[in-house]
Amino acid sequence: MITWSLLNYCLVLKRIIDILAVRGFTMRTCDLILKKRDGQSLNADEIDFLITGYLKGVIPDYQVAAFLMAIYFRGMSDQEIYALTRVIAESGENVSLEGIPGIKIDKHSTGGVGDTTTLVLTPLVAAAGVPVAKLSGRGLGHTGGTIDKLESIEGFKTGFSKIDFVEKAKKVGLIVAAQSPDLVPADQKLYALRDVTVTVESIPLIAASIMGKKLAIGNDALVLDVKTGAGAFMKEQKQAFNLARVMTAIGQKAGRATVAVISRMDQPLGKAIGNSLEIKEAILTLKGQGPRDLEELCLLLGGWMLYLGGKTIDPGEGKKDLARLIKNGAAINKFRDMVENQGGNKSIVDNLALLPAARLRVALKSEQKGYISSLDAQKVGSAAVMLGAGRRIKSDPIDPATGIILEKKIGDYVQVGETLAVIHASDATFRDVDHLVTGLIKSAYHYSNKTVPAPPLISGWVDRKGNSIYF
Ligand code: URA
Ligand code: CA
């Protein structure tokens, strides 16, 4: 009898403590949201309190959504962004690359359409002797993801334990694997919330999200590809340079040499958008038969990677070295080694017909004549998602064979009835979305009756000292 009432006492007391704790949490959370809403700065402990509380499920979505919106409008100081980056980086497991000899260089793109660079760049740079151990993501929204692309190769594995990840990287000097859910869980939870609260396009939030992921992996240096233009998060060049400066400063402060190239995403990169189609495009590029814009950007980013990896005295020299590795076959050989090392069918490299291919191909004809003056990457990306090449929500399946090949790009002249683009689709899906997809692609093309120069590939870069170079 006495024991029972004592137990009851304890239970009631615990309940009171819990309620008080939650009240305390709630009040403190409100104070911090208020501070940011009114444009004040938070210190590192306050940022840690909010993000850790959110990750533990103590602070609810609606309060963090309000906090994110406050950041969207008020911005963050460099100190706040660095604190947020560190909390994200330390929210889960970290991956040490100490077992891999050499200067390890990572690469990251802020997201684009038909952005096949990682698939070309990583074997290219590894062929030059710079080890690359890269964790990549899946596609979400109108942009594609490297992991989805690689998984269109039969047998190709992207999930490894930390030990196997390092061992496999050592074996061929290259691995591209999927980011596990244990790495930066705070970013995953925050990103999902940002996606549905329209708070993705914020410089502090993008910088902390990307750099949080980068700092969780023990690379020595980093080359960022910051996209700008209609198909990118940063539509304006000025914003893109700002984002680049913020991210390179975070890298430097964390002891990682970081440079950022600002590249144009007015139109999709290369000709292919879609998973299997981009694998083909990457293989052709590594053999020296790819689209010029894709090859050029890869050589440029790769030149910086060689430079930071101590292989050349300047990025321009690195570019020339890499062009030689495409010519002499070393680059495509490294890609073949990577496919084999990760369990994939390496015969696809020499026989592209072994890759998944769509049964239905529909040529989209131009209804006008003239020079292509713009080509909206976001619309083309959305059309590819509708065909099954990407996901609208996380659980959507991917159809690796589907996508779009752009036959005409900015600056090209087109006659009435000439093919603008070829749609690769499955019969079943296309029946449901044909009008939407063709409508989107047609509306992505704009014409001019005067000649239009091909747009520049890059706008400039931010070097490791934080200097901006504009082209
Ligand atoms: N890519 C990321 O990883 N995070 C962002 O916030 C935006 C692009
Ligand atoms: Ca492409």
Side-chain angles (χ1 to χ4, degrees):
M1 192 65 185
I2 290 172
T3 7
W4 266 113
S5 51
L6 201 61
L7 189 64
N8 278 340
Y9 256 129
C10 291
L11 285 174
V12 170
L13 197 64
K14 183 173 179 309
R15 183 84 191 117
I16 292 169
I17 291 170
D18 280 353
I19 289 169
L20 287 176
V22 170
R23 282 251 168 98
F25 242 98
T26 309
M27 281 170 61
R28 182 132 194 249
T29 306
C30 285
D31 289 343
L32 300 182
I33 300 170
L34 178 73
K35 246 176 136 173
K36 187 46 46 192
R37 188 201 69 181
D38 291 351
Q40 295 173 45
S41 288
L42 303 186
N43 64 35
D45 287 341
E46 290 169 330
I47 289 169
D48 183 74
F49 172 88
L50 285 170
I51 303 305
T52 310
Y54 181 48
L55 194 54
K56 285 183 181 159
V58 187
I59 300 178
D61 274 344
Y62 53 81
Q63 284 189 306
V64 178
F67 178 59
L68 294 171
M69 193 56 88
I71 294 174
Y72 181 90
F73 282 111
R74 291 296 193 170
M76 281 181 134
S77 69
D78 288 352
Q79 286 82 352
E80 285 179 292
I81 301 173
Y82 191 71
L84 181 60
T85 307
R86 287 243 76 109
V87 179
I88 289 174
E90 283 151 24
S91 65
E93 290 198 11
N94 283 16
V95 180
S96 162
L97 302 181
E98 266 165 27
I100 308 168
I103 303 175
K104 277 81 62 184
I105 317 286
D106 204 353
K107 170 266 165 184
H108 192 93
S109 146
T110 58
V113 176
D115 178 14
T116 321
T117 49
T118 293
L119 297 170
V120 177
L121 194 52
T122 54
L124 187 55
V125 168
V130 171
V132 179
K134 180 160 171 54
L135 293 175
S136 277
R138 293 181 189 279
L140 197 64
H142 69 279
T143 63
T146 299
I147 293 303
D148 296 324
K149 295 171 196 175
L150 285 169
E151 283 179 352
S152 55
I153 300 172
E154 183 200 338
F156 196 94
K157 289 188 198 56
T158 57
F160 297 100
S161 69
K162 281 199 230 177
I163 295 172
D164 288 349
F165 179 73
V166 170
E167 279 311 307
K168 289 210 169 278
K170 264 164 75 176
K171 197 165 159 207
V172 297
L174 169 63
I175 188 166
V176 181
Q179 191 185 302
S180 94
D182 308 327
L183 195 92
V184 291
D187 178 59
Q188 302 194 28
K189 203 167 170 187
L190 285 169
Y191 196 91
L193 188 60
R194 287 167 58 205
D195 208 26
V196 293
T197 55
V198 287
T199 48
V200 170
E201 289 100 334
S202 149
I203 288 177
L205 295 176
I206 295 176
S209 164
I210 291 176
M211 294 306 289
K213 285 192 275 280
K214 298 291 112 181
L215 298 190
I217 309 159
N219 278 295
D220 302 298
L222 171 63
V223 175
L224 295 163
D225 177 11
V226 178
K227 305 282 188 194
T228 179
F233 290 128
M234 298 287 109
K235 312 273 183 235
E236 303 297 327
Q237 185 173 304
K238 191 167 160 240
Q239 295 175 311
F241 270 93
N242 278 341
L243 176 62
R245 266 191 296 270
V246 170
M247 289 198 291
T248 49
I250 296 170
Q252 242 61 263
K253 193 162 174 179
R256 318 269 178 107
T258 306
V259 300
V261 171
I262 291 84
S263 71
R264 308 286 321 174
M265 189 38 83
D266 300 296
Q267 61 178 350
L269 195 60
K271 294 170 75 174
I273 300 123
N275 299 286
S276 174
L277 295 173
E278 286 187 57
I279 293 286
K280 277 185 205 165
E281 184 168 68
I283 291 171
L284 290 173
T285 307
L286 287 163
K287 290 178 177 174
Q289 301 153 19
R292 288 291 312 149
D293 59 347
L294 177 61
E295 179 181 305
E296 184 63 22
L297 183 61
C298 290
L299 291 175
L300 200 124
L301 292 168
W304 277 103
M305 289 172 81
L306 258 53
Y307 170 67
L308 292 181
K311 298 284 178 196
T312 55
I313 46 160
D314 75 75
E317 279 304 310
K319 223 175 127 177
K320 287 185 206 150
D321 293 344
L322 294 173
R324 270 195 294 276
L325 297 175
I326 291 180
K327 269 219 174 74
N328 71 16
I332 192 66
N333 288 342
K334 190 56 86 174
F335 184 87
R336 196 184 288 104
D337 290 348
M338 170 184 76
V339 173
E340 186 175 30
N341 194 37
Q342 296 191 224
N345 177 8
K346 65 174 177 173
S347 319
I348 58 126
V349 174
D350 304 296
N351 184 0
L352 296 175
L354 294 173
L355 283 164
R359 295 232 328 243
L360 190 66
R361 291 178 197 191
V362 182
L364 202 68
K365 308 283 188 191
S366 180
E367 288 157 5
Q368 297 177 49
K369 64 174 185 184
Y371 295 92
I372 306 299
S373 57
S374 68
L375 172 48
D376 187 321
Q378 188 149 357
K379 285 188 177 165
V380 177
S382 301
V385 171
M386 280 182 197
L387 293 168
R391 302 181 178 81
R392 269 157 297 192
I393 54 169
K394 240 179 176 164
S395 54
D396 276 349
I398 290 268
D399 182 344
T402 63
I404 300 159
I405 300 285
L406 301 169
E407 296 295 352
K408 297 287 176 188
K409 292 185 59 175
I410 300 175
D412 290 342
Y413 185 77
V414 58
Q415 298 279 6
V416 176
E418 244 192 301
T419 300
L420 284 175
V422 180
I423 296 166
H424 290 236
S426 81
D427 309 85
T429 315
F430 199 60
R431 232 174 285 132
D432 295 335
V433 298
D434 62 341
H435 288 298
L436 287 171
V437 168
T438 51
L440 260 176
I441 302 174
K442 277 184 188 162
S443 70
Y445 278 96
H446 294 96
Y447 298 75
S448 160
N449 44 27
K450 294 198 191 82
T451 56
V452 177
L457 206 50
I458 66 163
S459 300
W461 55 69
V462 176
D463 69 17
R464 51 200 291 188
K465 295 197 183 92
N467 301 312
S468 300
I469 288 89
Y470 296 89
F471 272 29

